[in-house]
């Protein structure tokens, strides 16, 4: 048997994992009332093996370090055993008796009160096999001790006399004297020990009384503890209910706040859209008034006889209007389509009448058409002959116009008039439908998908006026700061032919030296309409020369966006320091696992199916994830991320 197994055997005997546990406990209780037989115990220890001694040392928690290369420290082992014998605590004596039972357990594990006579008959055989002191202690703790008390006491007495008879006799009288002296010393020590034991027993009795009093106090404390624990549990339940109510109230308030923010965003978009429509209508009114004034001036100069030029002028004004109505017809609702078609028919009927009148007069059509002063009156390209295959592109702003980069890497330029016509801003996402004209040129029809933000464009835009400087040099001057004065580009001078003092809207590229005209408002007699338009027009964006890089405010947050293309949102989310998880809305189940661990959910409703919307909203509600709607522009996404940053980072703070 290994040393660890023997230690476990001692523990199992002491903890009651054997059948004779009750018999041993009764015998130990009787032995503890008697003086501990130290000599007989020491003789038993001398018969043990080194492995058994180590097991006993481990069981008694002796501070002995064993080594395979060194001999077992018997002196230290006996010294620690002697110190343990001198302890007056009953528990220490009981541990020593359990050690004795372990040492002789091989003789007792199969014994019972009925086998006492058999055990006495095999005494000599067991002495030869285990040793006399093993047999003595086995007889002392035999189960027959309780049933056959008289036989057991007689057997113990005979066994002790036999052991004394075998003890060596004194060799000399001097040894007898020394033994007498030792006996006297031992008797004196025994008397001292008895006196000390009586004192200790009195102290133990006093301690037992104190222990009883302390036990009563402890029981009272335990009762109070249970009562307080019950009250604490009740308070916890009430607190949990209050927390649940507070959480529900907070969720309701958050939902109400989100609805109010959504309504606010919708109203702001409606206001912005209305402002843009009003602005466009006023601009169209100013342009129309300007063109009418030009026509009147030309008519006054050339008189009533120049009817042919007037017809050509009317034809050139009607064709762009018909193209404009045609584009509105393609994008209009079915309810308004009939009205737009009727207007287009009236325009073409008027054109036919003008053409018929010109043929009847017999005059040839003039080759030189009237040049429209404003680029926004340019005719829309004719409908391509070949079928269109739409693709998505990204618009990038220049100081004059811009360009669109398609998904396949191709690009094409966009004029400044097209920028104003479609309201394009920097990094806007557009749907491009290519077509080939009869002359072989490829033109693109543009449809806005996701609005960009001119805040991040590489230009600065100013309200100002045109000024003629020294040496016939033209300048564009900021109306709010005359120090912002830039030379006008040569091409704008040749094409626009501005006049000194004409109000304008001009762009300057970052680190650029020349100004490019975005819009030119020529002076007319109707200065009141122009002043009203200019007073209504809001101040445009003025970018700093170097825009500081935004500080990330959503680090370690996960933002889920459903709808559109990933490249539309990567730049905006990267500025915040968050992690983007995107799905176009075709297969929303792919991001459901990531959505359950996200911090916010955004929808681009113009490019998201109902199935994707509701499946993602249900997960967001279950996980208490805030969700928002992108109002079709990158600037709106930036605003939503900034205004709701505390709500998005709430999980990270918890």
């Amino acid at each position: 048997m290994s040393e660890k197994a023997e230690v476990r055997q001692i523990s199992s005997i002491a903890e009651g994992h054997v059948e004779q546990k009750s018999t041993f406990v009764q015998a130990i209780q009787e032995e503890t009332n008697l003086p501990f037989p130290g000599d007989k115990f020491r003789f038993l220890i001398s018969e043990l093996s080194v492995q058994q001694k180590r097991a006993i040392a481990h069981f008694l928690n002796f501070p002995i370090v064993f080594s395979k290369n060194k001999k077992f420290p018997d002196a230290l082992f006996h010294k620690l055993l002697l110190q343990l014998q001198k302890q007056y605590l009953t528990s220490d004596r009981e541990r020593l008796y359990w050690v004795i039972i372990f040492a002789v357990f091989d003789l007792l594990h199969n014994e019972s009160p009925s086998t006492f006579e058999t055990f006495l008959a095999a005494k000599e055989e067991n002495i030869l096999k285990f040793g006399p002191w093993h047999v003595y202690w086995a007889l002392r703790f035999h189960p027959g001790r309780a049933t056959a008390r008289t036989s057991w006491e007689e057997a113990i007495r005979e066994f002790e006399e036999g052991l004394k008879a075998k003890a060596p006799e004194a060799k000399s009288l001097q040894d007898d004297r020394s033994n007498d002296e030792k006996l006297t010393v031992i008797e004196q020590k025994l008397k001292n020990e008895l006196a000390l034991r009586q004192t200790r027993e009195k102290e133990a009795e006093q301690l037992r009384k104190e222990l009883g009093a302390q036990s009563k106090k402890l029981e009272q404390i335990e009762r109070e503890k249970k009562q307080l624990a019950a009250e604490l549990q009740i308070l916890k339940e009430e607190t949990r209910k209050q927390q649940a109510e507070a959480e529900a109230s907070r969720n309701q308030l958050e939902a109400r706040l989100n609805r109010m923010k959504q309504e606010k965003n919708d109203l702001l978009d409606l206001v912005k859209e209305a402002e843009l429509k009003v602005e466009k209508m006023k601009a169209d009114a100013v342009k129309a008034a300007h063109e009418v004034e030009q026509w009147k001036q030309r008519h006054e100069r050339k008189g009533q006889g120049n009817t042919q030029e007037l017809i050509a002028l009317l034809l050139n004004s009607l064709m762009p209007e018909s193209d404009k109505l045609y584009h509105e017809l393609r994008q209009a609702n079915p309810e308004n389509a009939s009205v737009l078609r009727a207007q287009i028919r009236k325009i073409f009927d008027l054109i036919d009448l003008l053409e018929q009148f010109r043929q009847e007069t017999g005059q040839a059509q003039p080759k030189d058409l009237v040049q429209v002063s404003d680029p926004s009156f340019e005719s829309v390209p004719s409908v391509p002959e070949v079928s269109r295959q739409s693709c998505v592109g990204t618009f990038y702003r220049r100081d004059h116009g811009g360009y669109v980069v398609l998904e396949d890497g191709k690009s094409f330029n966009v004029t400044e008039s097209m920028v104003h016509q479609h309201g394009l801003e920097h990094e806007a996402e557009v749907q491009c439908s290519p077509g080939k004209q009869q002359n072989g040129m490829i033109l693109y029809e543009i449809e806005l998908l996701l609005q960009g933000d001119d805040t991040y464009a590489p230009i600065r835009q100013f309200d100002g006026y045109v000024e003629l400087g020294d040496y016939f040099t033209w300048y564009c001057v900021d109306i709010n700061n005359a120090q912002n004065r830039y030379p006008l580009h040569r091409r704008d001078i040749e094409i626009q032919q501005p006049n000194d003092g004409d109000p304008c809207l001009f762009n300057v590229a970052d680190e650029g030296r020349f100004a490019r005209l975005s819009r030119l408002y020529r002076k007319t007699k109707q200065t009141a309409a122009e002043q009203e338009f200019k007073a209504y027009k809001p101040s445009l964006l003025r970018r700093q020369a170097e825009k500081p890089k935004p500080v990330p405010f959503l680090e370690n947050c996960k933002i889920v966006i459903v709808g559109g293309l990933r490249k539309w949102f990567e730049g905006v989310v990267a500025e915040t320091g968050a992690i983007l998880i995107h799905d176009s809305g075709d297969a929303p189940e792919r991001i459901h696992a990531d959505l359950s661990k996200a911090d916010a959910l955004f929808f681009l409703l113009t490019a998201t199916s109902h199935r994707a919307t509701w499946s993602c909203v249900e997960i967001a509600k279950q996980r208490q994830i805030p969700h928002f709607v992108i109002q079709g522009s990158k600037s709106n996404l930036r605003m939503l991320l900034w205004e709701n940053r505390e709500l998005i980072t709430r999980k990270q703070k918890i």
Side-chain angles (χ1 to χ4, degrees), residues 121-141:
K123 179 176 64 173
E124 297 298 332
E125 182 180 352
N126 290 331
I127 289 174
L128 295 175
K129 185 177 180 181
F130 297 99
W133 293 105
H134 275 71
V135 178
Y136 168 76
W137 283 106
L139 178 60
R140 192 160 178 170
F141 283 99

Side-chain angles (χ1 to χ4, degrees), residues 272 276 395 419 422-430 448-454 568-569 572 604 606 630-638:
K272 186 177 180 181
L276 291 175
F395 169 73
V419 172
H422 294 281
L424 299 178
E425 296 192 19
H426 186 63
E427 292 185 346
E429 305 298 331
V430 294
L448 182 62
L449 295 178
L450 182 73
Q451 184 60 278
D453 193 349
D454 276 346
W568 297 357
F569 311 102
V572 178
L604 183 62
T606 56
I630 303 172
Q631 298 297 325
S633 66
K634 296 181 181 179
S635 59
N636 179 250
L637 176 59
R638 284 190 180 94

Side-chain angles (χ1 to χ4, degrees), residues 1-65:
M1 186 182 295
S2 64
E3 183 178 324
K4 292 183 178 179
E6 290 187 351
V7 175
R8 287 196 296 270
Q9 184 179 6
I10 301 176
S11 300
S12 65
I13 293 171
E15 293 174 2
H17 296 293
V18 293
E19 296 178 356
Q20 300 96 331
K21 165 73 175 182
S22 59
T23 306
F24 292 153
V25 169
Q26 183 178 0
I28 290 173
Q29 290 178 354
E30 293 179 3
E31 291 291 340
T32 52
N33 295 326
L34 300 174
F36 186 78
D39 295 339
K40 297 180 178 63
F41 177 68
R42 187 168 59 256
F43 294 149
L44 175 63
I45 295 299
S46 63
E47 293 180 356
L48 297 178
S49 62
V50 174
Q51 188 174 1
Q52 290 176 324
K53 292 178 183 179
R54 287 187 177 183
I56 292 171
H58 284 299
F59 175 72
L60 296 175
N61 297 322
F62 284 169
I64 301 177
V65 179

Side-chain angles (χ1 to χ4, degrees), residues 460-462 464 476-478 486 504-508 515-516 518:
R460 288 171 291 165
Q461 198 169 58
F462 301 92
C476 286
V477 184
D478 183 8
Y486 301 92
C504 66
L505 177 68
F506 65 93
N507 302 329
V508 179
R516 298 301 307 270
S518 178

Side-chain angles (χ1 to χ4, degrees), residues 316-330:
N316 280 282
S317 63
L318 290 174
M319 289 300 294
E321 185 66 19
S322 65
D323 291 336
K324 181 179 178 181
L325 291 174
Y326 174 71
H327 276 276
E328 292 180 359
L329 178 61
R330 292 184 60 190

Side-chain angles (χ1 to χ4, degrees), residues 279-295 313-325 327 369-381 415-422 496 518-522 524:
E279 180 183 346
K280 184 177 180 181
M281 292 172 62
K282 293 204 173 188
D284 291 342
V286 172
K287 292 173 188 174
H290 177 65
E291 293 297 328
V292 170
E293 184 65 27
Q294 285 186 344
W295 294 342
L313 188 61
L314 288 173
L315 289 174
N316 280 282
S317 63
L318 290 174
M319 289 300 294
E321 185 66 19
S322 65
D323 291 336
K324 181 179 178 181
L325 291 174
H327 276 276
L369 301 178
V370 178
Q371 181 180 2
V372 182
S373 61
D374 197 273
S376 62
F377 280 87
E378 296 178 0
S379 61
V380 180
T415 63
E416 187 72 18
S417 61
M418 293 292 290
V419 172
H420 289 289
Q421 179 180 349
H422 294 281
Q496 300 283 4
S518 178
R519 288 200 179 196
L520 182 65
Y521 311 106
R522 298 183 185 276
T524 63

